[in-house]
Amino acid sequence: RRQRQMCIRDSIYAIVVLYNKNLSKSITFNCLKSIDSNIQIFICDNSDDKKYAANNKIASNYKNVHYKSMNGNKGLPSAYNAAIEDIVKLSPGWICLFDDDTFVPAEYFTLLSEAKRTQKADIYLPLVYDEVGLLSPNIMKKYFCHRANSIDEINIGEISAINSGMVLSSKIFKTYRYDENYFLDFVDHAFMRDMRYLHKKVAIFNCKLKQNFAANTNDIASLKKRFKILKKDLRYFYSKLNFGLLYYLYIISKRKIRIFLNVKKASTLFW
């Protein structure tokens, strides 16, 4: 009974960012609307192909679904902020961030409720796995982010995470917005770094999600496009740090070598 009262009292808002995809094909959207009709779903459409935006506006005509076209790809932070501007006008609650291709099991919200009952936090993180292993939470040690083999390796004072599956108190956004100088990469790590400075409490809840991580592809054209975005975002991420340029060059060099070893194309070393 207590759990049911908590679910009624706490509003749940889900933000799903689309890019050049039909809403009906979004794994995340189909999961969310089948789990609980009371979840308020905010669709931010970053599609730069007009046919998707037109179709998605029509397809979003469901109860508790709020659709917003970004009129082109404005980047992830801008899409988040657009949804947040609407959410903060509503009753306080919890904001769940999702990519459009994340399978969300029904137990996600049950386990979230249990975590909120036993751990008081501002941010809750699920366990996200990709083709390699545990992807999130991960470790932000000093200025470098790297994977953990298990959550036992993660010190809560060094914790970071990817966006998808992250759960945030809407109260955070009374005074905070995502930095729109980023476009796609390191938005999550910059956010977690900011939350550490603001002394927000982070907890992990035991729900496992599976994520298709774009960086694991071997498609050259896709890798090159993503690498160009990464360079710009990573440069900004380190721009305010002493010796930030050195950190940037070190990480970019490691990424180039990793890509080269995966695809065996010498041209990747000159990106």
Side-chain angles (χ1 to χ4, degrees):
R1 183 177 179 181
R2 182 182 175 188
Q3 180 177 342
R4 184 180 176 186
Q5 289 175 340
M6 178 174 288
C7 291
I8 293 173
R9 184 171 65 247
D10 291 350
S11 297
I12 299 292
Y13 308 105
I15 299 177
V16 180
V17 180
L18 289 180
Y19 176 69
N20 287 354
K21 176 180 286 188
N22 285 322
L23 181 60
S24 61
K25 300 296 184 181
S26 167
I27 296 171
T28 310
F29 178 71
N30 288 316
C31 287
L32 291 173
K33 67 183 179 66
S34 67
I35 290 173
D36 187 343
S37 61
N38 292 317
I39 299 170
Q40 299 283 330
I41 305 173
F42 289 78
I43 304 295
C44 286
D45 194 346
N46 259 339
S47 297
D48 48 25
D49 187 327
K50 292 183 179 179
K51 71 179 181 183
Y52 290 107
N55 291 339
N56 291 336
K57 185 174 182 179
I58 296 171
S60 64
N61 190 25
Y62 292 92
K63 176 188 174 184
N64 293 341
V65 176
H66 312 265
Y67 176 83
K68 185 184 292 287
S69 173
M70 299 300 294
N71 298 310
N73 191 358
K74 300 299 192 298
L76 196 58
S78 294
Y80 284 161
N81 286 340
I84 288 165
E85 289 300 327
D86 292 333
I87 291 172
V88 295
K89 298 172 185 175
L90 305 174
S91 59
W94 296 90
I95 300 173
C96 307
L97 304 180
F98 294 107
D99 293 344
D100 62 27
D101 60 352
T102 302
F103 179 82
V104 186
E107 65 180 7
Y108 173 92
F109 293 100
T110 302
L111 294 171
L112 174 61
S113 292
E114 292 175 0
K116 289 191 295 177
R117 191 167 61 247
T118 58
Q119 305 178 78
K120 301 301 179 183
D122 304 293
I123 300 167
Y124 294 90
L125 305 174
L127 304 173
V128 184
Y129 292 83
D130 67 356
E131 300 87 348
V132 178
L134 179 63
L135 175 63
S136 178
N138 42 52
I139 301 169
M140 178 64 75
K141 198 173 183 69
K142 293 187 178 179
Y143 306 124
F144 299 109
C145 183
H146 60 89
R147 290 176 183 256
N149 293 316
S150 71
I151 59 172
D152 295 332
E153 294 182 2
I154 302 174
N155 181 323
I156 204 69
E158 298 173 342
I159 196 168
S160 193
I162 68 166
N163 294 305
S164 197
M166 188 182 292
V167 184
L168 313 170
S169 170
S170 64
K171 295 177 182 178
I172 290 172
F173 300 101
K174 287 182 178 180
T175 57
Y176 183 89
R177 291 293 184 274
Y178 282 89
D179 188 341
E180 295 183 11
N181 286 297
Y182 292 98
F183 188 81
L184 180 63
D185 292 303
F186 276 69
V187 174
D188 36 23
H189 299 309
F191 172 80
M192 292 298 290
R193 183 173 66 182
D194 290 346
M195 293 302 102
R196 187 179 304 155
Y197 293 154
L198 294 173
H199 306 291
K200 300 299 182 182
K201 187 175 179 181
V202 180
I204 299 171
F205 69 106
N206 191 30
C207 180
K208 295 181 180 180
L209 302 179
K210 183 74 168 62
Q211 185 73 18
N212 294 319
F213 192 40
N216 294 332
T217 182
N218 285 327
D219 180 76
I220 296 294
S222 177
L223 281 170
K224 188 172 185 179
K225 182 178 179 180
R226 285 299 307 270
F227 191 73
K228 183 178 179 180
I229 295 171
L230 171 65
K231 287 174 68 176
K232 180 178 179 296
D233 287 343
L234 190 62
R235 183 70 177 266
Y236 182 72
F237 182 77
Y238 284 113
S239 63
K240 299 177 183 178
L241 299 177
N242 292 329
F243 307 108
L245 179 59
L246 295 179
Y247 293 119
Y248 162 79
L249 292 173
Y250 173 72
I251 294 177
I252 286 296
S253 297
K254 285 185 64 177
R255 291 292 181 97
K256 282 186 181 182
I257 293 171
R258 187 187 306 168
I259 292 172
F260 167 72
L261 292 175
N262 285 340
V263 301
K264 305 297 190 297
K265 297 284 186 180
S267 60
T268 60
L269 296 172
F270 300 95
W271 285 357

